[in-house]
């Protein structure tokens, strides 16, 4: 079967997937042979190679030569994920990953890198019998575009085929997208629509357009208009949007999962990528008084916080994102240690969101110093879920445009979350959010405190969900927490956040000490963060710091002690005195 | 009982024992299913590849573990390959040894690794001999004009 037969024939649906051209890549000869046998049994047309480089060359030479690629993950000459990315980026062909390792993290990594599917060896025949759906899915999109070009008969069939395909795909695709793609017949394009390569720039524009429109309002037509790229059709955008949405969905799910799993290098790296790039050096923050790119990574976190889920914190853990880029602060990906953190945030009420951030945001002039929020924007509280884990590099490239979510945050806080933002920022943001709750934008101490955040800004740690507290900055968390409590009487939520932030960011430890360890701060850090959690939880969702703090203080001696400690640090230290109503 | 029937019976017994004793698992059955008119020697081809590959891997492993300074990542990569190929054809016992082997690699436990290498070699030789015997029987049946019993 040739491509023509498959694409142009009336019975495309009938004959396909027979003859589907598959390129199989696996460095293990036994496995490759087996895969070949399996694929032939499915009546596909198989080409095999044991080298990823060869595969790439073949594809580059003629991308229309294959319909689908199946590739192993562990290969000596090139990482399977790398191949996956390149193929997806350059050729936009469906790629299925194959591995002997079915570890969830790897699967996640595969999916986030754009794999259509992830199969675990040994692969069974039944599984391979279904892989053609990935090809059809893509064909449907191009078909819907070209169907109007054909004569009526063909168009009808195309539509029907498309509809059928859509139905088949419906399970996995976004239904809206399907309908959108399949039912609209926009301008007829070439029968064999040339594949659009979604280069980084293109994707960036795409993401920028989406940010501008807002993820809910982002429809292909408008995105296309905003992007203003010649030769790009609405259909191209529609299909890309579909993938993007799926990606976002997966990322947000993963973010939680990652948190749950704690470490995952891959997963966390994803989370990390976007916004967190910058979590800057806390020290810088304290020094300069501005929030270094608060990598508000956990946009998801915020988003999550906002959501009614009690575990919004989980998202916070996403902190891995928050990792500061600064060399100084080496925040470990919070994610890895997330498990622990999760508890911390239980208490955070869903209401925690941008409002709270605003709390923080307000007033620090310093905050404004922060660089523009880039990817971190994605993480703004609202709708962060969508963006949270956009770690995929591709995705993030465009993240700079995600101004919406972050900008909100940024505006309020004055801190611009940049990828290099500091974690502290996040914390700050978070804290602000929390604070807000309590007081409605009056970041009591925050304003001033916010800035210093850099160091003591344990908030970010908080974001992480807590695990970090110990992990990272051990003593810092405590300190931060302490500070938080102390300095921000109203900042109920903060302490915990701070603590967690500290934990997360490890780096906090350094600065925190400067800040004024509330005595015992460091020890606190070591305390079980559950304590913090409890303290945290007790706070009512940061509605009012006042409530929270006292509550926290009462609840956990240890934790609260921390809380009393500088909150994040510098910023808090100062205001700390002012705000601190409670006796330490 | 005529020769063919006898051979066939032997074949079935032998095959059954392989499954029963865990030398082969269901994956091998899957392999058999892939053989058909368009692919008549599929099983033998794949299994031969496995033998070749395995011997190479075992040699590489022996070499790697003899180094003064052992590169466990490399060892692990070999074991991973071995595990992949053995599980592809259903050589269950070999695969199981590989699993343990990898754990030792993670721990950088040389003794554990050496023990596993020995075990892997033994299991491989065992399954190789048994598979060769099976193919032999198959050949004899075919030569005697009989048909090879299907394995459920």
């Amino acid at each position: 079967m040739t491509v023509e037969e498959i694409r142009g024939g009336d019975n495309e649906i009938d004959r396909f997937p027979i003859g589907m051209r598959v390129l199989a890549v696996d460095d293990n000869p036994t496995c490759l042979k087996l895969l070949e046998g399996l694929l032939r049994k499915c009546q596909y047309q198989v080409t095999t190679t044991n080298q990823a480089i060869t595969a790439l060359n073949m594809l580059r030479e003629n991308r229309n030569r294959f319909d689908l690629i199946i590739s192993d993950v562990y290969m000596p000459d090139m990482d399977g994920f790398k191949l996956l990315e390149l193929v997806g980026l350059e050729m936009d062909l469906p790629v299925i990953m194959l591995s002997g390792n079915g570890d969830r993290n790897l699967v996640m990594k595969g999916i986030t890198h754009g794999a259509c599917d992830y199969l675990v060896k040994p692969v069974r025949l039944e599984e391979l019998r279904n892989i053609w759906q990935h090809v059809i899915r893509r064909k449907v999109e191009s078909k819907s575009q070209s169907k109007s070009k054909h004569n009526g008969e063909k168009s009808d069939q195309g539509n029907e085929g498309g509809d059928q395909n859509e139905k088949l795909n419906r399970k996995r695709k976004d239904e809206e997208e399907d309908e959108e793609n399949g039912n609209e017949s926009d301008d007829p394009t070439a029968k064999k629509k040339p594949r659009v390569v979604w280069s980084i720039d293109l994707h960036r524009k795409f993401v920028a357009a989406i940010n501008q429109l807002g993820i809910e309002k982002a429809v292909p037509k408008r995105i296309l208009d905003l992007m203003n790229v010649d030769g790009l059709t609405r259909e191209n955008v529609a299909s890309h949007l579909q993938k993007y949405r799926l990606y976002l969905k997966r990322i947000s799910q993963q973010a939680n999962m990652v948190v749950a799993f704690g470490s995952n290098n891959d997963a966390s790296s994803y989370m990390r990528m976007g916004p967190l790039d910058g979590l800057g050096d806390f020290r810088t923050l304290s020094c300069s008084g501005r929030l270094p790119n608060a990598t508000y990574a956990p946009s998801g976190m915020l988003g999550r916080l906002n959501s009614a889920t009690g575990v919004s914190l989980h998202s916070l853990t996403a902190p891995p994102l928050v990792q500061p880029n600064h060399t100084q602060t080496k925040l470990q990906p919070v994610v890895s240690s997330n498990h622990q953190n999760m508890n911390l945030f239980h208490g955070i009420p869903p209401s925690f969101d941008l409002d709270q951030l605003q709390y923080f945001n307000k007033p620090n002039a310093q905050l404004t110093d922060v660089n523009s929020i880039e990817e971190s924007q994605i993480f703004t509280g609202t709708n962060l879920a969508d963006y949270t884990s956009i770690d995929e590099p591709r995705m993030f490239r465009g993240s700079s445009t995600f101004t919406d979510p972050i900008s909100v945050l940024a505006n309020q806080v004055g801190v611009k979350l940049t990828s290099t933002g500091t974690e502290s920022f996040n914390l700050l943001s978070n804290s602000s959010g929390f604070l807000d709750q309590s007081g409605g934008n009056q970041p009591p101490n925050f304003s001033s405190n916010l800035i210093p955040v850099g160091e003591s800004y344990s908030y970010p740690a908080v974001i992480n969900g807590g695990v970090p507290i110990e992990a990272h900055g051990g003593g810092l968390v405590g300190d931060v927490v302490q500070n938080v409590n102390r300095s921000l009487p109203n900042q109920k939520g903060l302490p915990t956040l701070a603590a967690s932030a500290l934990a997360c960011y490890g780096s906090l430890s350094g600065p925190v000490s400067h800040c004024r360890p509330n005595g015992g701060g460091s020890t606190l850090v070591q305390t079980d963060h559950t304590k913090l959690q409890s303290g945290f939880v007790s706070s009512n969702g940061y509605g009012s710091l006042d409530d929270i703090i006292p509550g926290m203080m009462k609840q956990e001696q240890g934790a609260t002690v921390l809380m009393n400690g500088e909150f994040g640090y510098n910023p808090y230290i100062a205001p700390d005195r002012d705000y601190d109503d409670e006796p330490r | 009982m005529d020769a063919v029937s006898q051979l066939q019976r032997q074949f079935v017994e032998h095959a059954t024992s392989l499954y029963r004793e865990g030398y082969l698992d269901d994956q091998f059955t899957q392999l058999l299913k892939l053989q058909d008119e368009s692919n008549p020697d599929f099983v033998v081809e794949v299994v031969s590849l496995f033998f070749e590959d395995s011997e190479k891997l075992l040699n590489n492993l022996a070499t790697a573990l003899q180094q003064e300074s052992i590169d466990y990542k490399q060892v692990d990569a070999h074991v991973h390959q071995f595990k992949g190929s053995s599980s592809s054809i259903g050589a269950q016992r070999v695969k199981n040894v590989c699993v343990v082997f990898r754990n030792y690699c993670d721990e950088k436990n040389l003794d554990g690794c050496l023990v596993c290498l020995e075990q892997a070699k033994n299991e491989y030789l065992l399954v190789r001999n048994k598979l060769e015997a099976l193919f032999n029987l198959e050949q004899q049946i075919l030569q005697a004009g009989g048909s090879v019993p299907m394995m459920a």
Side-chain angles (χ1 to χ4, degrees):
Chain A
M1 274 252 167
T2 62
V3 175
E4 288 73 21
E5 277 175 312
I6 292 175
R7 290 179 188 244
D10 286 352
N11 27 332
E12 352 190 331
I13 306 305
D14 295 346
R15 289 215 223 141
F16 193 84
I18 291 178
M20 183 173 77
R21 299 151 313 150
V22 183
L23 174 62
V25 190
D26 192 334
D27 65 314
N28 187 323
T30 313
C31 296
L32 190 61
K33 184 82 187 165
L34 173 67
L35 189 58
E36 188 185 4
L38 287 164
L39 292 168
R40 282 196 210 276
K41 193 74 180 176
C42 297
Q43 293 181 280
Y44 302 147
Q45 197 178 315
V46 190
T47 308
T48 61
T49 173
N50 62 353
Q51 297 222 322
I53 308 237
T54 313
L56 210 52
N57 289 338
M58 276 199 268
L59 288 166
R60 281 177 176 155
E61 210 179 300
N62 180 5
R63 74 175 58 126
N64 286 327
R65 206 177 135 195
F66 300 104
D67 296 307
L68 178 78
I69 293 128
I70 297 188
S71 166
D72 186 33
V73 168
Y74 291 104
M75 290 191 284
D77 63 334
M78 186 191 291
D79 181 27
F81 293 116
K82 186 90 184 122
L83 176 67
L84 165 59
E85 263 185 51
L86 290 172
V87 171
L89 207 50
E90 294 181 29
M91 288 128 218
D92 192 32
L93 280 172
V95 181
I96 293 179
M97 301 306 292
L98 197 59
S99 176
N101 188 341
D103 188 57
R104 200 190 306 221
N105 294 336
L106 278 181
V107 177
M108 258 200 266
K109 183 175 182 183
I111 300 302
T112 55
H113 269 99
C116 294
D117 207 346
Y118 192 109
L119 304 176
V120 181
K121 289 186 197 168
V123 184
R124 295 180 69 96
L125 193 64
E126 299 74 45
E127 290 178 284
L128 290 177
R129 285 204 194 277
N130 287 329
I131 61 176
W132 57 269
Q133 63 181 282
H134 302 294
V135 179
I136 283 288
R137 198 169 295 152
R138 290 184 191 222
K139 285 196 176 150
V140 169
E141 288 161 10
S142 61
K143 208 188 307 185
S144 62
Q145 295 157 31
S146 55
K147 68 185 178 204
S148 45
K149 199 179 186 179
H150 300 332
N151 53 34
E153 186 192 10
K154 279 216 169 130
S155 298
D156 289 347
Q157 291 195 329
N159 282 334
E160 283 163 18
D163 289 342
Q164 282 176 28
N165 288 332
E166 286 171 31
K167 283 189 188 112
L168 290 169
N169 297 333
R170 192 143 294 169
K171 286 191 271 181
R172 305 187 66 198
K173 276 165 85 161
D174 196 351
E175 292 192 7
E176 305 167 11
E177 295 292 348
D178 283 349
E179 280 158 15
E180 196 179 332
N181 292 332
N183 297 333
E184 297 183 73
S185 37
D186 282 347
D187 306 329
T189 50
K191 182 168 169 177
K192 254 192 224 184
K193 209 169 57 83
R195 285 195 196 278
V196 169
V197 173
W198 281 89
S199 67
I200 309 294
D201 279 336
L202 205 57
H203 183 74
R204 199 178 283 148
K205 284 203 182 115
F206 170 79
V207 173
I210 289 195
N211 288 333
Q212 235 173 296
L213 293 166
I215 193 72
E216 285 103 6
K217 298 218 183 75
V219 287
K221 182 86 182 77
R222 292 170 89 185
I223 296 173
L224 182 66
D225 291 342
L226 277 176
M227 284 176 73
N228 195 21
V229 169
D230 284 345
L232 194 66
T233 66
R234 195 206 64 84
E235 289 76 23
N236 297 138
V237 175
S239 80
H240 195 70
L241 178 63
Q242 205 164 353
K243 290 185 228 159
Y244 185 63
R245 284 199 188 159
L246 280 175
Y247 170 78
L248 293 180
K249 235 189 258 181
R250 284 181 189 133
I251 298 295
S252 68
Q253 284 162 15
Q254 285 174 17
N256 279 330
M257 278 160 80
V258 170
V259 170
F261 296 145
S263 68
N264 97 28
N265 318 316
D266 294 331
S268 46
S269 61
Y270 281 109
M271 310 241 247
R272 231 183 299 158
M273 289 202 26
L276 301 176
D277 265 348
L279 278 187
D281 186 4
F282 285 128
R283 264 185 236 154
T284 311
L285 260 191
S286 42
C287 298
S288 58
R290 67 182 184 107
L291 281 180
N293 341 307
T295 40
Y296 198 103
S299 51
M301 300 216 290
L302 275 190
R304 303 248 165 73
L305 288 177
N306 298 332
S307 62
T309 55
V311 277
S312 44
L313 287 183
H314 285 274
S315 49
L316 286 181
T317 43
L321 297 179
V322 185
Q323 284 200 335
N325 292 333
H326 285 272
T327 44
Q328 298 179 11
T329 46
K330 294 201 126 191
L331 294 177
Q332 299 304 323
V334 177
V335 176
S336 32
S337 42
N338 301 337
H339 278 292
Q340 311 160 31
N341 298 333
M342 303 231 253
N343 302 328
L344 280 181
F345 297 104
H346 281 301
I348 300 186
S351 52
F352 179 77
D353 58 12
L354 284 183
D355 288 344
Q356 298 175 344
L357 291 174
Q358 296 176 13
Y359 189 77
F360 287 101
N361 294 337
K362 292 182 116 80
N364 287 313
Q366 298 167 336
L367 289 179
T368 44
D369 284 14
V370 177
N371 309 326
S372 53
I373 299 178
E374 291 187 38
E375 280 122 354
S376 49
Q377 295 176 346
I378 301 186
F379 296 111
T380 46
T382 53
N383 300 334
L384 283 179
D386 278 342
Y387 301 107
T388 21
S389 31
I390 301 186
D391 17 331
E392 216 175 279
R394 284 191 265 179
M395 293 287 200
F396 285 126
R397 280 200 250 182
S399 59
S400 49
T401 49
F402 280 136
T403 50
D404 285 354
I406 305 285
S407 51
V408 175
L409 198 52
N411 294 337
Q412 295 165 357
V413 177
V415 177
K416 302 268 201 120
L417 294 172
T418 50
S419 48
T420 51
T422 49
E423 302 165 343
S424 55
F425 183 73
N426 291 329
L427 187 53
L428 197 48
S429 333
N430 292 330
S431 356
S432 47
F434 288 112
L435 289 183
D436 222 4
Q437 281 207 322
S438 48
N441 302 344
Q442 341 144 353
N445 307 316
F446 277 107
S447 20
S448 46
N449 295 334
L450 288 181
I451 309 253
V453 175
E455 303 206 10
S456 46
Y457 213 112
S458 48
Y459 288 116
V462 173
I463 297 182
N464 290 325
V467 170
I469 297 189
E470 302 143 350
H472 306 272
L476 293 178
V477 175
D479 291 343
V480 172
V481 177
Q482 292 176 5
N483 291 336
V484 176
N485 286 333
R486 261 204 318 189
S487 42
L488 308 164
N490 299 323
Q491 300 158 2
K492 302 185 210 171
L494 292 179
T496 11
L497 281 182
S500 45
L502 280 178
C504 298
Y505 298 104
S507 52
L508 293 176
S509 45
V512 173
S513 45
H514 299 356
C515 300
R516 274 205 317 176
N518 296 315
S522 31
T523 38
L524 285 182
V525 173
Q526 276 128 37
T527 3
D528 162 29
H529 38 229
T530 42
K531 275 203 191 169
L532 285 172
Q533 293 173 9
S534 44
F536 194 75
V537 174
S538 56
S539 40
N540 43 34
Y542 306 104
S544 45
L545 286 174
D546 294 321
D547 304 335
I548 295 172
I549 294 193
M552 283 173 45
M553 306 214 15
K554 284 176 200 153
Q555 291 178 12
E556 343 191 269
Q557 289 302 329
T560 46
V561 176
L562 287 175
M563 303 290 229
N564 297 327
E566 328 268 302
F567 185 51
Y569 296 80
N570 305 326
Y572 294 95
I573 296 185
D576 182 306
R577 315 258 176 211
D578 306 329
Y579 296 101
D580 197 19
D581 330 324
E582 335 228 325
R584 286 250 345 267
Chain B
M1 175 181 316
D2 76 320
V4 174
S5 309
Q6 208 166 7
L7 285 169
Q8 284 172 331
R9 201 157 55 93
Q10 276 181 311
F11 179 86
V12 172
E13 270 173 25
H14 188 59
T16 314
S17 79
L18 281 176
Y19 284 99
R20 191 179 54 239
E21 291 164 29
Y23 288 100
L24 294 179
D25 62 20
D26 185 57
Q27 182 59 27
F28 188 75
T29 317
Q30 297 294 314
L31 209 71
L32 298 176
K33 285 190 195 162
L34 297 180
Q35 184 161 294
D36 55 23
E37 305 79 35
S38 62
N39 227 339
D41 301 315
F42 183 70
V43 179
V44 172
E45 280 175 13
V46 180
V47 175
S48 306
L49 265 176
F50 169 69
F51 290 163
E52 239 179 71
D53 199 32
S54 301
E55 275 156 40
K56 225 188 318 176
L57 284 170
L58 284 166
N59 285 337
N60 290 344
L61 279 167
T63 310
L65 287 171
Q66 278 162 12
Q67 301 301 311
E68 284 216 359
S69 159
I70 296 179
D71 179 358
Y72 282 100
K73 273 213 164 123
Q74 178 71 286
V75 176
D76 184 74
H78 290 316
V79 180
H80 176 87
Q81 268 255 55
F82 201 11
K83 176 175 169 237
S85 52
S86 56
S87 75
S88 295
I89 66 144
Q92 193 181 60
R93 282 158 75 133
V94 176
K95 182 195 73 176
N96 291 342
V97 174
C98 288
V99 172
V100 178
F101 202 154
R102 284 193 90 189
N103 288 338
Y104 283 128
C105 280
D106 285 345
E107 295 167 16
K108 301 203 188 275
N109 180 336
L110 179 58
D111 288 337
C113 285
L114 289 171
V115 167
C116 280
L117 178 59
E118 267 312 294
Q119 279 181 345
K121 204 169 9 165
N122 291 339
E123 289 297 342
Y124 162 70
L125 289 171
L126 278 171
V127 79
R128 188 185 71 180
N129 292 341
K130 290 180 186 287
L131 281 171
E132 283 176 345
L134 193 70
F135 292 143
N136 217 334
L137 279 170
E138 195 181 27
Q139 278 304 303
Q140 289 179 45
I141 293 173
L142 291 172
Q143 276 164 14
S147 60
V148 182
M150 290 294 279
M151 316 248 286

